[in-house]
Amino acid sequence: MQVIVAHNRYREAQPSGENTIVDQEIIQLRAAGVEVLPFLRSSDEIAEFSPAAKALLPISPIYAPRAQQELSRLITEHRPDVLHLHNPYPLLSPWVVRTAHKHGVPVVQTVHNYRQVCSSGLYFRDGRICQDCRGRALGVPAIVHRCYRGSRAQSALMATTLAVHRPTWRSVDRYIALTSGIADHLRDYGIPDDRIVIKPNGIPDPGTPAPLGEGFLFFGRLSPEKGVGLLLDAWRRHPDGALGPLRIAGDGELRGLAEAAAAERGDVEFLGPLDRAGVAAALRSTAVVLAVPTWHDVLPTVVIEALAAGRPVLGTALGGIPYLVGAHDPTGPAGWVVPADPAALAAALPTARATAADLAPLARTRYERTFHPDVVTRQLVDVYTKL
């Protein structure tokens, strides 16, 4: 089987979990015997564009002529079975779906965000969940609020792109929804059930989990929507030392909040940004991982990393988190979900601390059954085969 994997890579200066997932998926597919033809572009290429190419850049989300020409050549030369699209913006354009169909090649898209409807892709604006553009023919609120890159002009372009490509998105042969929440988003957009498959991302198996450590770990981007402010508000409702240690790892615009909490309390430690070895060590040292976004986070990889390490997760009941922790799994959940509210989170912290050891085996089992690369790659190849 031959598959074109198409993805516009995000800038390397802004670490992207989506880039990492695409890279890992290519490796996993090749290991499963699939011949992968990467059709990759990077937003870093824009800096090297000629003045003429940069002048055409504003229209590329709607129609990227160079990408269509190169994709046509690739399809003509190799006659692939499927095109698998991830992020098309800005250098590929959703038009690649039409180009593939013109050559008789079916298209699969993995949906990593809400950009069929939302210009920013997040359903989050001004520190709160926002779905003002849902159900609109043109996302005027996105233009008014400069939702795309803080620019009214660029927001107008993206809103127009989403309107123009509504028929394009509705022609995709099969959608891969990373969670049940994304499946609901696609149904709301008008995609029928028989074209939606729920298949999460997988991560490499780190091996047999170490014995549980102590306390809590928050790691990830320190930004408002990831909930570090919510977490610290909840944490301060308990006396210093009552819950064991809270370790915070990562970097971002709210780094100062984490540093101030570590200076203020003896039970908070700020680890700063960590490399992969540092994250693994932090996971070994903890009992519970915290994933407390205040937006509908699609699939925070930190949750899967926690489950793989046999660490249960305390998360907010938003986006993909209930699905990830198996909140409705009949064999038992691999964590706890609560409203994105400081009082609710504060109330759940002692429970999580007291029962972490009971849920740790369920966390690892959920990873092995749902997020192990062998499992998710089998699902993906099955999607291709049925097309």
Side-chain angles (χ1 to χ4, degrees):
M1 178 179 290
Q2 257 190 358
V3 176
I4 293 177
V5 173
H7 177 56
N8 190 127
R9 299 179 67 84
Y10 296 88
R11 295 181 187 275
E12 293 301 326
Q14 300 173 334
S16 162
E18 193 171 325
N19 287 350
T20 301
I21 289 298
V22 172
D23 293 342
Q24 289 177 346
E25 198 164 86
I26 289 173
I27 291 169
Q28 292 160 7
L29 285 169
R30 286 173 169 163
V34 175
E35 183 179 351
V36 177
L37 303 170
F39 186 65
L40 307 177
R41 298 294 179 270
S42 171
S43 292
D44 288 327
E45 298 171 22
I46 294 171
E48 306 300 322
F49 277 15
S50 68
K54 285 182 179 176
L56 292 173
L57 189 60
I59 69 163
S60 64
I62 297 176
Y63 179 73
R66 180 181 169 188
Q68 310 320 310
Q69 293 162 7
E70 293 174 348
L71 179 58
S72 287
R73 283 197 295 269
L74 186 65
I75 292 173
T76 300
E77 180 180 353
H78 292 279
R79 304 307 307 169
D81 298 288
V82 178
L83 182 139
H84 185 167
L85 175 63
H86 291 269
N87 171 46
Y89 299 113
L91 300 180
L92 296 182
S93 165
W95 207 282
V96 295
V97 175
R98 302 188 187 196
T99 299
H101 283 162
K102 183 180 73 174
H103 290 274
V105 177
V107 176
V108 173
Q109 195 207 6
T110 296
V111 181
H112 296 269
N113 52 45
Y114 304 100
R115 195 163 271 153
Q116 283 79 18
V117 176
C118 175
S119 290
S120 74
L122 301 178
Y123 275 157
F124 189 83
R125 173 175 60 80
D126 297 335
R128 64 176 181 84
I129 292 170
C130 169
Q131 297 183 337
D132 290 353
C133 292
R134 232 175 111 203
R136 291 176 177 262
L138 179 67
V140 174
I143 302 170
V144 172
H145 296 289
R146 300 179 173 90
C147 290
Y148 187 65
R149 297 183 176 178
S151 163
R152 186 161 287 164
Q154 292 192 59
S155 297
L157 175 65
M158 182 54 71
T160 302
T161 299
L162 299 185
V164 167
H165 281 298
R166 192 169 289 112
T168 308
W169 290 130
R170 288 179 174 165
S171 75
V172 168
D173 300 274
R174 198 72 81 245
Y175 275 106
I176 293 176
L178 295 178
T179 68
S180 55
I182 285 292
D184 290 340
H185 158 71
L186 289 168
R187 291 186 195 102
D188 186 62
Y189 187 66
I191 307 301
D193 272 349
D194 62 1
R195 286 200 274 139
I196 301 171
V197 175
I198 298 175
K199 184 210 74 72
N201 296 330
I203 64 167
D205 190 343
T208 303
L212 279 190
E214 60 174 345
F216 298 82
L217 172 66
F218 176 99
F219 68 103
R221 191 168 65 251
L222 302 182
S223 56
E225 73 277 6
K226 289 294 185 180
V228 66
L230 167 68
L231 167 60
L232 291 173
D233 191 349
W235 192 262
R236 289 188 178 101
R237 298 179 184 221
H238 295 276
D240 196 330
L243 298 170
L246 167 63
R247 301 177 183 91
I248 300 174
D251 205 354
E253 61 192 284
L254 297 186
R255 176 175 178 146
L257 278 183
E259 291 174 329
E264 167 195 335
R265 293 178 60 116
D267 59 356
V268 178
E269 181 182 2
F270 179 56
L271 304 177
L274 299 177
D275 59 14
R276 299 311 307 162
V279 169
L283 282 168
R284 287 194 297 271
S285 298
T286 197
V288 177
V289 170
L290 296 155
V292 290
T294 57
W295 72 294
H296 288 294
D297 204 343
V298 173
L299 192 146
T301 306
V302 296
V303 176
I304 305 178
E305 292 182 272
L307 301 180
R311 270 52 182 168
V313 176
L314 172 57
T316 46
L318 292 172
I321 292 177
Y323 168 83
L324 294 176
V325 303
H328 306 294
D329 190 330
T331 64
W336 314 262
V337 291
V338 297
D341 171 77
L345 181 56
L349 288 166
T351 300
R353 184 189 186 203
T355 58
D358 297 331
L359 269 64
L362 295 173
R364 175 65 189 184
T365 298
R366 180 151 180 81
Y367 163 75
E368 291 173 347
R369 290 178 178 173
T370 310
F371 306 108
H372 192 282
D374 292 349
V375 174
V376 297
T377 304
R378 252 193 326 269
Q379 287 179 282
L380 186 53
V381 173
D382 186 55
V383 170
Y384 297 158
T385 302
K386 286 178 178 176
L387 284 177

